[in-house]
C-alpha cells in the first residue's frame, strides 16, 4: 500500500509538473510578466535517478526553454536524508537552470542547520513560523535570520515574498 501511494504521489507530481510547464510556456508566449512558478515534488523525484531523467526528458519532449521560471519545491523531508545523496542530486537539478526551494521550513521538526551548503534558492516558511515571526517570537526570528544569512529568498505558502 505504501509503495502504491508513493507511486501515485509521483504520478500526480509529474502531471502537475507538466501542467506548470505548459502554463509557463503560455505566459511567456503571451509576454505576461512573472518571476517563477513553483511545483512541489516528492523527495523520491530528487533521490532517484529517474527523477532527473524524467524532468530532462519532459523538457526535451515539450521543447521547454524557460527553466529559470520553474521552481522545484521539496519538503523539509530531504533535510533528513544522507547529505552525500541530496547534495549531488540538487546540483543536477541546478545544472538545468532551475530554482530550488525547501517548503515547510522551520517547523518544530525541521533540521534547519542541514540546509547550509545545499544549492537551494529559497525557503517557504512553515505557517506557524511565519505567524510567530510577526509576533516577535525569538525562535522564529532566529529561523528567518538564519535563512537571510544564507542568502535565501524567504516566502510564505502563498508564494509571496516574506516581509
Amino acid at each position: 500500500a505504501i509503495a502504491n501511494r508513493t507511486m501515485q504521489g509521483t504520478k500526480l507530481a509529474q502531471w502537475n509538473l507538466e501542467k506548470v510547464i505548459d502554463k509557463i510556456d503560455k505566459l511567456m508566449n503571451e509576454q505576461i510578466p512573472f518571476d517563477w512558478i513553483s511545483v512541489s515534488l516528492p523527495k523520491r523525484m530528487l533521490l532517484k535517478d529517474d527523477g532527473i531523467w524524467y524532468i530532462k526528458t519532459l523538457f526535451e519532449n515539450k521543447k521547454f526553454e524557460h527553466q529559470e521560471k520553474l521552481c522545484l519545491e521539496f519538503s523539509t523531508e530531504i533535510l533528513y536524508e544522507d547529505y552525500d545523496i541530496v547534495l549531488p542530486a540538487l546540483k543536477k537539478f541546478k545544472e538545468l537552470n532551475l530554482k530550488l526551494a525547501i517548503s515547510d521550513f522551520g517547523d518544530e521538526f525541521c533540521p534547519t542547520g542541514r540546509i547550509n551548503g545545499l544549492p537551494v534558492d529559497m525557503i517557504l516558511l512553515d505557517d506557524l513560523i511565519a505567524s510567530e515571526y510577526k509576533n516577535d517570537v525569538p525562535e522564529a526570528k532566529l529561523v528567518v535570520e538564519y535563512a537571510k544569512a544564507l542568502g535565501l529568498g524567504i516566502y510564505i505558502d502563498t508564494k509571496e515574498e516574506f516581509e
Side-chain angles (χ1 to χ4, degrees):
I2 292 174
N4 192 31
R5 274 197 314 262
T6 300
M7 188 51 75
Q8 287 174 346
T10 300
K11 293 284 185 198
L12 183 59
Q14 290 171 341
W15 178 84
N16 195 27
L17 180 60
E18 290 180 31
K19 298 299 177 195
V20 166
I21 286 172
D22 292 342
K23 178 60 82 176
I24 290 171
D25 276 339
K26 183 176 186 208
L27 292 169
M28 294 299 289
N29 289 336
E30 294 177 6
Q31 298 181 344
I32 298 172
F34 67 102
D35 293 327
W36 46 270
I37 298 178
S38 173
V39 61
S40 181
L41 299 180
K43 72 178 178 181
R44 182 191 187 288
M45 289 187 73
L46 173 69
L47 302 177
K48 303 288 184 186
D49 286 337
D50 62 343
I52 190 76
W53 174 85
Y54 172 80
I55 290 174
K56 283 181 176 180
T57 303
L58 181 63
F59 289 173
E60 290 170 11
N61 291 344
K62 290 191 167 278
K63 297 178 177 47
F64 185 61
E65 298 177 350
H66 308 290
Q67 289 87 338
E68 74 284 356
K69 297 292 190 178
L70 177 62
C71 177
L72 302 182
E73 179 183 324
F74 297 98
S75 79
T76 55
E77 289 180 332
I78 70 165
L79 298 177
Y80 293 98
E81 298 296 328
D82 185 342
Y83 198 82
D84 292 335
I85 295 171
V86 171
L87 180 60
L90 287 171
K91 284 182 176 180
K92 287 179 185 176
F93 284 107
K94 286 303 290 180
E95 289 170 2
L96 296 177
N97 198 28
L98 299 166
K99 293 183 184 339
L100 299 175
I102 304 291
S103 64
D104 299 323
F105 193 79
D107 72 8
E108 63 184 316
F109 301 109
C110 177
T112 54
R114 301 261 342 236
I115 199 169
N116 190 20
L118 294 179
V120 297
D121 302 290
M122 62 194 82
I123 59 166
L124 304 173
L125 283 180
D126 175 74
D127 290 339
L128 180 61
I129 293 293
S131 173
E132 287 179 344
Y133 180 87
K134 291 177 181 174
N135 292 322
D136 291 324
V137 175
E139 293 84 357
K141 295 275 188 191
L142 278 172
V143 168
V144 171
E145 293 307 314
Y146 178 63
K148 285 181 182 178
L150 294 176
L152 300 173
I154 304 170
Y155 295 83
I156 53 178
D157 273 346
T158 58
K159 309 300 187 273
E160 294 177 35
E161 195 158 8
F162 189 71
E163 291 191 321

